[in-house]
Amino acid sequence: MNLILMILFGLFLYVFTKIMLKEPILPWKEKKEVSNKPSKFKKKKSGKQNIEMDQDPDLFKNLFDDVQSISHHMIRFKSNKFVMIAEVEPVNYFLLSDGEQEAIDAKFENWLATINYSVQFYLQNRYVDLSEPIADMKRYMEKEDDLPYNAREYGQSLIEDLESWQVQIPRYETKRFIAFPFQVNTNDITAEDDEEFEEKVIDKAFSELYRRYNTAKNSLNNARIKVDLLTNEGIIDVLYHAFNRRKAIKNKFKEVKNQEMLALYLTADQDEERIELVKEMIDREFSGETQNQEAI
């Protein structure tokens, strides 16, 4: 019996050793040679496919290659297509009674039945930002000198809880928008020059889109749904949060606006010497371009 156990133990040790060494268990089988040559199924790398993994795609350029400008509360495309965007503040539907819910449904259905053009609904999830309410609370506490001690302590603890609540777990809020697209048919517009043509195109697009916006606003206001038209900055704000979802918390769009980073020209105070120097540079460049055109 002991001899059988020793034989079984030796056999087990032999099999375990062969497996660990990745050798064939049966001695009459040859060991497979591992080739260092690349497989024929492996794709050859070309210069065009050699892209760094940490390189961000040029998403903004690809999506907005057809955008011409954002002006007059509209997004204008190169094909003379215009889009007007309005923000929607929804009603707390599930806290209403059955009759009130049916009235809201009827108003919304009537609005959809009256329109014969396309509208697009856009939902955007943003990180909850409590910086402005917290700043207002701090400003109020600093302003009120006669605030009781218990109230000041409660306010300070509430501010700390709100700041930790926002930092610990990312929380989101949903912004709702309605986009009204409109394609201007330039063949129906007659003008004497390009400037008049541009004015007529913009006026036609704005009047039509504003009419559609007013129709939605009046119909949805009856359903207790508030609709507000977005300005140029509002449209840029929506795009800013769409492409800077994580950075929008730290680098707020409001701060970008306050620092005048959206201005086409510098509006800070400058001394007279610098102003004169800039004027001389502009005159020099303009005179150089004029001479080049005359030479051509």
Side-chain angles (χ1 to χ4, degrees), residues 19-189:
I19 293 175
M20 294 299 294
L21 296 176
K22 297 181 180 180
E23 295 181 354
I25 299 176
L26 301 178
W28 55 83
K29 286 191 175 181
E30 297 181 356
K31 182 179 179 181
K32 295 182 179 180
E33 296 182 358
V34 179
S35 177
N36 294 327
K37 297 181 180 180
S39 175
K40 63 180 179 179
F41 298 101
K42 188 175 181 180
K43 295 182 179 179
K44 296 181 180 180
K45 294 183 179 180
S46 60
K48 295 181 180 180
Q49 297 178 351
N50 189 13
I51 302 175
E52 297 180 1
M53 296 300 295
D54 57 349
Q55 182 180 358
D56 295 332
D58 201 352
L59 184 62
F60 187 86
K61 182 178 179 181
N62 294 335
L63 290 179
F64 288 88
D65 185 48
D66 194 31
V67 174
Q68 181 174 340
S69 62
I70 298 176
S71 61
H72 301 86
H73 310 292
M74 299 178 296
I75 303 176
R76 182 178 182 179
F77 295 85
K78 296 179 181 178
S79 59
N80 287 324
K81 176 183 177 183
F82 293 81
V83 177
M84 183 175 287
I85 303 177
E87 184 175 1
V88 180
E89 295 183 7
V91 65
N92 202 335
Y93 183 82
F94 295 101
L95 292 182
L96 302 178
S97 62
D98 294 339
E100 291 173 334
Q101 291 181 0
E102 291 179 1
I104 291 176
D105 294 340
K107 295 296 183 182
F108 186 73
E109 291 173 0
N110 289 336
W111 171 62
L112 294 179
T114 55
I115 61 176
N116 57 356
Y117 44 82
S118 63
V119 295
Q120 297 175 352
F121 298 94
Y122 173 58
L123 304 181
Q124 186 179 84
N125 291 330
R126 300 182 183 180
Y127 286 102
V128 176
D129 185 14
L130 300 177
S131 59
E132 292 186 4
I134 292 174
D136 294 338
M137 294 174 63
K138 290 181 178 179
R139 194 181 305 110
Y140 177 78
M141 292 176 60
E142 294 175 356
K143 182 179 179 181
E144 297 295 330
D145 298 333
D146 57 346
L147 194 66
Y149 176 77
N150 293 335
R152 189 175 297 276
E153 288 292 327
Y154 174 77
Q156 188 64 33
S157 62
L158 179 60
I159 291 174
E160 293 176 357
D161 291 340
L162 290 176
E163 290 177 345
S164 62
W165 178 83
Q166 184 175 358
V167 173
Q168 287 178 359
I169 302 176
R171 292 172 172 85
Y172 302 90
E173 61 178 348
T174 302
K175 296 288 186 178
R176 301 161 178 86
F177 304 94
I178 300 179
F180 303 93
F182 176 66
Q183 179 70 48
V184 177
N185 188 4
T186 56
N187 296 327
D188 299 336
I189 298 177

